[in-house]
Amino acid sequence: QVQLEESGGGEVDSGGSLTLSCVASGRHPHAYAMGWFRQAPGKEREFVVAINWNGLTYYRESVKGRFTISRDNAKNTVYLEMNRLNPEDTAIYSCASGPWPLSRASMVNSWGQGTRVTVSS
């Protein structure tokens, strides 16, 4: 079982930037891809982005060019840099771990506790 601990998030004005971090611990964290899902108020949870431990990435179309996922294998940490944020990005962002491409919630083995991102217009 992999444990995930997130940090980052907060409130920012439209056009601003935030960076989220997620540290993995437990059994064989490198065996799985890591990524982020988000759930906006009143909406279903949706995939945002994933990265495997070889650096291969997969982005949701609406965040391409604005969000960048990266990882530090030595620290078992994944980062999500979010730029040009807009109010539609407001959501609870949850770190996730599971088999590649980790593009559906059904593929997730472990979830972080979630961190709130609020973008004001």
Side-chain angles (χ1 to χ4, degrees), residues 7 13 15 28 31 34-35 39 41 45 49-50 60-61 68 85 90 93 95 97-99 102 110:
S7 60
D13 292 335
H28 310 302
M34 289 180 65
Q39 186 167 19
R45 182 163 50 193
V49 62
R60 179 180 192 82
E61 192 65 32
T68 302
L85 285 160
T90 294
Y93 284 69
C95 183
S97 174
L102 200 62
S110 299

Side-chain angles (χ1 to χ4, degrees), residues 42-85:
K43 295 186 178 181
E44 293 188 357
R45 182 163 50 193
E46 63 184 20
F47 167 79
V48 179
V49 62
I51 186 169
N52 70 10
W53 292 104
N54 290 324
L56 186 64
T57 58
Y58 179 45
Y59 288 88
R60 179 180 192 82
E61 192 65 32
S62 63
V63 306
K64 285 183 179 179
R66 299 190 299 122
F67 291 12
T68 302
I69 191 170
S70 61
R71 84 279 186 264
D72 183 333
N73 288 343
K75 296 181 178 180
N76 289 338
T77 300
V78 170
Y79 304 95
L80 180 61
E81 180 181 350
M82 304 183 293
N83 298 311
R84 305 202 317 269
L85 285 160

Side-chain angles (χ1 to χ4, degrees), residues 36-48 60 88-94 103-106 111:
W36 298 87
F37 287 72
R38 67 185 182 186
Q39 186 167 19
K43 295 186 178 181
E44 293 188 357
R45 182 163 50 193
E46 63 184 20
F47 167 79
V48 179
R60 179 180 192 82
E88 289 69 40
D89 296 315
T90 294
I92 301 293
Y93 284 69
S94 297
S103 56
R104 299 189 303 275
S106 61
W111 291 100

Side-chain angles (χ1 to χ4, degrees), residues 3-7 21-25 95 112-113:
Q3 291 79 46
L4 304 174
E5 183 173 353
E6 302 142 337
S7 60
S21 300
C22 179
V23 180
S25 60
C95 183
Q113 78 280 6

